[in-house]
Amino acid sequence: MIRNDVTILTVDDDPMLLKLIGILLREEGFRVLAAESAEQALALLAAEKPQLVVTDLRMGGMDGLQLFDAVHRRHPLLPVLILTAHGTIPDAVAALQKGVFGYLAKPFEAQALMAEVN
């Protein structure tokens, strides 16, 4: 299914994982924007209007929850999906209570990512 009308902003400070996520999403027909930091993602959000943000939790500088807070202040209805290799159940519960759309543990299966995105 071609979904070029749906744009997803991906954010991860690991360039290889950022590339992999982009490939998976493009194969599903999504338009993908990529940022290697939360700060770069916020700059992209000033010019682009994605329908979803997929971000890593732990990054240098601003982390994924701080990015969520900044996104939520500017675009309260924009869903944010957090990916993390370091999460705990209490972290996931806290993130979801704040309004994070989804929380997915790394390493993740491509099908699990696509289920959350869809």
Side-chain angles (χ1 to χ4, degrees), residues 20-65:
L20 174 64
I21 293 169
I23 290 168
L24 291 171
L25 294 172
R26 283 184 190 95
E27 284 180 354
E28 293 295 319
F30 295 105
R31 179 173 173 256
V32 178
L33 304 171
E36 291 187 8
S37 69
E39 295 82 2
Q40 186 181 16
L42 291 174
L44 280 170
L45 278 173
E48 297 277 349
K49 300 297 180 233
Q51 284 71 47
L52 174 66
V53 176
V54 177
T55 183
D56 187 18
L57 178 62
R58 290 204 181 161
M59 299 180 283
M62 184 184 288
D63 70 19
L65 281 177

Side-chain angles (χ1 to χ4, degrees), residues 3-116:
R3 303 176 205 173
N4 286 326
D5 59 328
V6 177
T7 300
I8 299 175
L9 172 58
T10 58
V11 189
D12 202 307
D13 59 355
D14 178 342
M16 293 305 292
L17 188 56
L18 190 61
K19 185 176 181 176
L20 174 64
I21 293 169
I23 290 168
L24 291 171
L25 294 172
R26 283 184 190 95
E27 284 180 354
E28 293 295 319
F30 295 105
R31 179 173 173 256
V32 178
L33 304 171
E36 291 187 8
S37 69
E39 295 82 2
Q40 186 181 16
L42 291 174
L44 280 170
L45 278 173
E48 297 277 349
K49 300 297 180 233
Q51 284 71 47
L52 174 66
V53 176
V54 177
T55 183
D56 187 18
L57 178 62
R58 290 204 181 161
M59 299 180 283
M62 184 184 288
D63 70 19
L65 281 177
Q66 291 169 321
L67 174 60
F68 165 77
D69 289 338
V71 167
H72 192 67
R73 279 192 302 277
R74 295 175 191 177
H75 309 281
L77 299 178
L78 179 58
V80 176
L81 171 63
I82 292 183
L83 307 175
T84 184
H86 307 284
T88 64
I89 290 173
D91 289 341
V93 169
L96 294 171
Q97 286 176 336
K98 285 181 80 167
V100 170
F101 176 74
Y103 196 89
L104 193 60
K106 293 179 190 175
F108 55 85
E109 296 288 328
Q111 292 173 328
L113 175 63
M114 295 318 304
E116 288 290 326

